[in-house]
Amino acid sequence: MNPYDFVRIDWKRPPERREPVWHHKVVGTDTALYAGSLEVEVEALTPFFISDPRNVSPDPKRPAQFIHNVAQRAGNPVTYIIPGSSLKGLLRSVVETLGNGCLTLYDGTYERNKINYRQKVPTAFQHCDSRTEMCIACRIFGMLKERTRGVFLGKVNILSVDGPIRNGGVTNRYIEPLDYGTKFHFRVDFTNLEADEFAALLLAVTLTPEMHHKLGYGKPLGLGSVQLTPTSLTLVDYKTRYRQIGSNRGKTVLDGESLQQLRDELVNAFNQKQLVLIAIQDLQRIWQWPPEPDVDYYYPSKRDWFDTQESIGKRIADTRNVPW
Ligand SMILES: [Zn+2]
C-alpha cells in the first residue's frame, strides 16, 4: 500500500442531501425501510495492530499492546477486541468515499488554528450541518455538530461481539501485532435504512472481490489487511412484527446464497446510480488484494525532498527517480 496514494473526488458531483427518513414519518407510503442486524466475521490477512490507549507504556522499549478487555476477575480470560468505534469509522469512511458523502475531514481549523480548511472546501462539499439536508454517510452514521442545530445519531450501531483469547502475537520491538489468520466477530445493528443507505452499508462491508479493508496501525508497512465476511443477516419487518403471534414475528434470516443475492441486488442498483466511479477505481488500487509482490514503499528520509523542484506538485508515479 502506497502511503502517498489518494482517492480522487468527483467535483462534478456534489453530495446529494436529504432529510433522514423514519418509520413514523412514512406511515401509509410504500417506502421500504430496512431494520435488523448483520453479523460479520473479520479475518486478518496480514499481521495487524490496534493500540490500547489505556495501556501505553512510558518505556519505549516495551512493546505496545493490542487493545484487549480487562479481565473482571482473576481467572477470567482476557480477549482482544476491535472497538466498535474503529469499525464504524472504517465503514463510514468507505461510504463517504464511494457514496459521495460530505467532506468531514476538512471541517474546522488545523495547525494551531492557523488554517481554516472548511473555507477552502467548495460549499456543496462541506460537512453537513442541517438535520434536513444530510448526505448518505451522515444519514447512516450520524452527524454531531457542535456549532449548529444539527445533531443526528445515525441509523447504525456497531458492537464488537468477540475476539480471540489472549495468547501472544507476532512480536517486534515496538508493538505486538496479532498474527494473520486471527478472527474477530462484530454485529451491525441498523434501523430505518432506505434501500440506497442499506446498499451503501453492504458495499462498505463487502467491497469487491479484488480488494480488502485496511484497519489499524502500520498500513504502509504492510500491516492491517483484513477480510470482512458477512455471515448472517436478520431483517425485521415492523409492519408484520406486531400482527403475527407465535410465528417468527416478522423476522427473516438470510445467509450464504440468499444473503449474497440480496446484497448483489441492492448493491447493483446503488452502483448504477450512486457509486463514484473514480473513487472505486482509486480505492481498488490502494486496497488491492493480493498486493503487488516485490514493491516496497517507504518515506523519504528528509522532509526537504517534498519541496525539491522535481517533486513538488508531482504525482507519486512521476517522482520514482528523484533522489533523496
Ligand atoms: Zn454529511
Side-chain angles (χ1 to χ4, degrees):
M1 175 189 174
N2 184 335
Y4 299 120
D5 213 339
F6 292 91
V7 173
R8 285 167 292 169
I9 291 169
D10 186 346
W11 294 108
K12 292 195 279 309
R13 283 181 53 186
E16 179 251 323
R17 303 188 213 233
R18 58 179 190 254
E19 187 170 10
V21 172
W22 288 87
H23 263 293
H24 64 264
K25 290 194 182 162
V26 291
V27 171
T29 76
D30 288 321
T31 307
L33 294 180
Y34 293 86
S37 61
L38 180 68
E39 307 278 347
V40 184
E41 182 186 88
V42 183
E43 181 176 358
L45 300 172
T46 60
F48 88 118
F49 181 77
I50 300 174
S51 77
D52 191 339
R54 299 160 308 182
N55 199 358
V56 178
S57 166
D59 177 2
K61 290 200 182 110
R62 262 195 64 200
Q65 303 274 303
F66 198 101
I67 189 163
H68 50 76
N69 69 1
V70 181
Q72 297 298 319
R73 269 175 290 164
N76 279 3
V78 173
T79 49
Y80 291 109
I81 50 170
I82 303 176
S85 56
S86 301
L87 294 161
K88 192 171 174 181
L90 173 68
L91 297 180
R92 180 186 184 119
S93 62
V94 178
V95 171
E96 281 178 14
T97 306
L98 300 184
N100 218 8
C102 65
L103 298 184
T104 52
L105 271 183
Y106 301 95
D107 184 48
T109 53
Y110 293 84
E111 293 167 39
R112 297 197 201 107
N113 285 331
K114 273 192 278 186
I115 301 174
N116 185 337
Y117 278 102
R118 187 174 173 87
Q119 288 164 358
K120 294 180 185 287
V121 174
T123 317
F125 289 82
Q126 285 176 2
H127 192 4
C128 301
D129 63 5
S130 157
R131 281 190 60 122
T132 55
E133 287 175 81
M134 289 169 55
C135 76
I136 191 163
C138 288
R139 293 198 304 271
I140 299 172
F141 296 99
M143 174 189 80
L144 289 169
K145 299 281 289 184
E146 289 154 19
R147 65 168 176 269
T148 66
R149 323 141 300 270
V151 173
F152 178 70
L153 293 177
K155 301 177 178 185
V156 302
N157 184 37
I158 298 182
L159 294 165
S160 207
V161 180
D162 62 55
I165 292 174
R166 183 176 181 172
N167 55 7
V170 181
T171 307
N172 71 14
R173 194 172 150 197
Y174 301 108
I175 59 171
E176 272 186 11
L178 297 185
D179 208 351
Y180 70 91
T182 305
K183 286 184 181 173
F184 290 83
H185 290 90
F186 69 92
R187 197 180 85 213
V188 187
D189 292 335
F190 52 91
T191 188
N192 289 303
L193 287 176
E194 293 183 72
D196 64 336
E197 296 162 4
F198 188 36
L201 177 65
L202 290 172
L203 175 62
V205 171
T206 55
L207 299 175
T208 63
E210 315 78 38
M211 62 197 293
H212 287 307
H213 298 83
K214 284 274 190 178
L215 185 63
Y217 286 28
K219 298 178 184 102
L221 301 174
L223 267 65
S225 277
V226 292
Q227 178 167 11
L228 306 191
T229 310
T231 53
S232 163
L233 171 68
T234 303
L235 291 173
V236 182
D237 180 353
Y238 284 98
K239 281 192 200 126
T240 56
R241 184 172 173 79
Y242 300 106
R243 272 188 253 135
Q244 295 176 339
I245 297 161
S247 69
N248 64 3
R249 292 178 52 84
K251 268 191 193 175
T252 310
V253 180
L254 305 175
D255 55 20
E257 265 185 39
S258 60
L259 172 51
Q260 182 70 33
Q261 213 177 340
L262 178 69
R263 179 258 176 224
D264 290 349
E265 243 170 65
L266 287 161
V267 170
N268 289 345
F270 177 85
N271 287 353
Q272 279 175 20
K273 281 194 275 180
Q274 281 156 283
L275 180 69
V276 183
L277 284 176
I278 54 172
I280 186 95
Q281 285 163 9
D282 292 347
L283 196 60
Q284 268 172 336
R285 182 185 67 244
I286 295 169
W287 279 355
Q288 173 193 327
W289 188 266
E292 275 183 59
D294 310 321
V295 178
D296 287 328
Y297 299 104
Y298 37 81
Y299 290 94
S301 56
K302 290 199 192 102
R303 206 206 161 280
D304 301 352
W305 182 90
F306 292 96
D307 301 325
T308 61
Q309 209 53 45
E310 297 93 329
S311 328
I312 200 161
K314 296 276 167 54
R315 292 186 64 82
I316 293 295
D318 300 330
T319 62
R320 213 161 264 169
N321 299 317
V322 180
W324 53 273

